[in-house]
Amino acid sequence: MRLAFYAPMKSPNHPVPSGDRLMARLLIRALELGGHQVDIASEFRTHASTPEAAAALEPAIRAELERLRLTWKSTPRPELWFCYHPYYKSPDPFGPAISAEFAIPYVTAEASYAAKRDRTGWAASQKRVGEAIMQAAVNISFTERDQAGLSAAFPQARLAGLKPFIDTALFEKVSPAPDPRRLMTVAMMRAGDKMDSYVMLAKALRLIEDRPWTLAVTGDGPMRQEVQGLFAGLAGRIEWLGERNAVEIAELLGHGGLYVWPGCGEAYGLAYLEAQAAGLPVVAQETAGVPAVVEAGVTGLLTPDGDVTAYAEAVAALLDDRQRRDAMGQAARRFVLGQRSLVMAAQVLNGILRDNAGIGVT
């Protein structure tokens, strides 16, 4: 079947790497593995930082909607509109209207809704998101937390679950050769949750300076200087690897010993799955969507949200116990390669579309 794919927050073709862009690309590949032809419906980005900025986009939104209508009237049209990650700052103003006009199913993945945003000037965007969720033939959630949130806000909405996944092909080629003292992290350097995690990680590592560890950081961004400043005084123990491509990251992870990233505010964190696929156990916080990608006590350790001391102690525990670290690393690799692969996700996703939107492979 021919499907129209739209990511209002960030196009799959956006030049800046991010977890959002990666998941959009993974969904497209999963749909293609399911036998579907996937076309990116629009590159229009609806993301707005303020309600005022969102309102200012309306004329351009109307123009893009009219363009889509005219295009679909003169060319072969898709049989389903698939929207990834609509939320109050990035609603989908096109899919619901186009789907209704051309009588095709509308589907969302990772939609979210927070009623509290209505009181902060976002009521118009919230209304658009809520109506899309109710119109959807199915709303696909990646975590139980997100699915519960949608169910509470829209009890009659049609919901389904798809566990977070990655393309494991690169990691299947990696032969793990772990250095048990080498801590690894892969993350962009930007304000917000990412910076909060870097702050917490630096504080935690200072509490265990007596342990023999090194930290390799892969990533870059506008706050690189500030991030490096957090680790001042730990000279000789931090290796700044900068931005790397997917092949390089897989290889680097395969030579690490432990993946450390607190995960402040993480939706779930595909980097955790990549680290585990390379054979690294994870130390993260038990917060937001992280439990959806790390099996606590089996493939890693999850500590209470915001507890720096507990986080430091968890890292130290695995540094001190190589046998446990190795067992968790092996379990982590089995978990991701066996349960969270792109191939498995494609099968689940195809089943969801077949059962809820009447879309199958011909």
Side-chain angles (χ1 to χ4, degrees):
M1 297 294 181
R2 187 176 182 184
L3 312 182
F5 187 95
Y6 179 54
M9 180 178 176
K10 180 179 284 188
S11 166
N13 297 326
H14 196 281
V16 178
S18 68
D20 200 79
R21 188 189 74 167
L22 175 57
M23 179 49 80
R25 292 178 172 185
L26 285 168
L27 282 168
I28 289 174
R29 293 181 62 190
L31 290 166
E32 290 173 340
L33 275 179
H36 306 292
Q37 176 184 334
V38 182
D39 301 317
I40 296 178
S42 175
E43 299 283 352
F44 193 100
R45 192 176 188 213
T46 67
H47 184 267
S49 57
T50 66
E52 293 74 21
L57 286 173
E58 287 302 319
I61 285 173
R62 289 193 291 271
E64 178 67 358
L65 181 57
E66 184 59 23
R67 184 193 71 80
L68 288 167
R69 284 192 175 111
L70 292 174
T71 299
W72 280 29
K73 286 178 180 178
S74 60
T75 61
R77 66 190 62 162
E79 296 163 90
L80 178 143
W81 182 286
F82 192 108
C83 177
Y84 168 61
H85 202 185
Y87 78 116
Y88 74 99
K89 286 188 176 181
S90 295
D92 178 3
F94 311 125
I98 291 289
S99 296
E101 185 172 336
F102 291 93
I104 63 172
Y106 177 72
V107 170
T108 77
E110 204 176 339
S112 65
Y113 184 91
K116 64 182 180 180
R117 301 299 178 185
D118 289 340
R119 301 186 295 274
T120 58
W122 292 99
S125 291
Q126 286 273 95
K127 183 173 185 292
R128 186 172 264 165
V129 173
E131 289 175 348
I133 290 169
M134 286 303 298
Q135 179 181 329
V138 64
N139 299 279
I140 301 167
S141 296
F142 295 133
T143 69
E144 293 180 3
R145 174 177 176 263
D146 285 350
Q147 188 165 332
L150 290 185
S151 180
F154 304 99
Q156 297 182 3
R158 292 164 291 277
L159 309 176
L162 173 65
K163 295 184 184 300
F165 63 95
I166 60 170
D167 183 356
T168 57
L170 285 177
F171 298 94
E172 289 166 0
K173 298 176 183 178
V174 171
S175 298
D179 177 346
R181 298 178 179 180
R182 185 172 171 83
L183 309 180
M184 306 290 295
T185 200
V186 181
M188 292 289 290
M189 299 175 182
R190 60 172 182 256
D193 291 333
K194 298 298 185 190
M195 191 63 179
D196 291 343
S197 280
Y198 274 117
V199 169
M200 184 172 178
L201 179 59
K203 289 180 179 178
L205 293 183
R206 290 185 186 282
L207 295 178
I208 56 170
E209 285 189 70
D210 60 316
R211 299 310 202 280
W213 56 262
T214 61
L215 172 67
V217 181
T218 300
D220 207 339
M223 298 195 73
R224 180 185 177 95
Q225 185 174 351
E226 290 84 350
V227 169
Q228 290 181 334
L230 295 172
F231 296 87
L234 294 172
R237 306 187 80 167
I238 314 296
E239 184 179 2
W240 303 100
L241 301 176
E243 187 174 331
R244 299 297 185 100
N245 62 40
V247 174
E248 291 172 324
I249 290 172
E251 192 64 32
L252 286 167
L253 288 172
H255 290 86
L258 183 61
Y259 191 79
V260 292
W261 184 245
C264 299
E266 287 282 1
Y268 37 87
L270 295 178
Y272 291 127
L273 290 177
E274 292 178 342
Q276 291 172 96
L280 275 68
V282 167
V283 179
Q285 295 178 98
E286 190 171 15
T287 184
V290 176
V293 292
V294 180
E295 293 192 317
V298 179
T299 69
L301 300 178
L302 300 182
T303 62
D305 192 5
D307 192 331
V308 176
T309 300
Y311 189 83
E313 290 173 348
V315 175
L318 292 184
L319 285 171
D320 293 345
D321 190 342
R322 180 168 182 174
Q323 184 176 359
R324 187 184 186 195
R325 191 222 65 82
D326 288 348
M328 280 189 164
Q330 293 163 14
R333 187 167 167 83
R334 288 194 302 269
F335 164 59
V336 178
L337 299 188
Q339 300 180 36
R340 299 300 182 87
S341 70
L342 178 63
V343 172
M344 293 192 68
Q347 296 171 354
V348 174
L349 184 55
N350 226 33
I352 291 172
L353 296 183
R354 181 190 63 240
D355 295 343
N356 295 277
I359 296 294
V361 180
T362 60

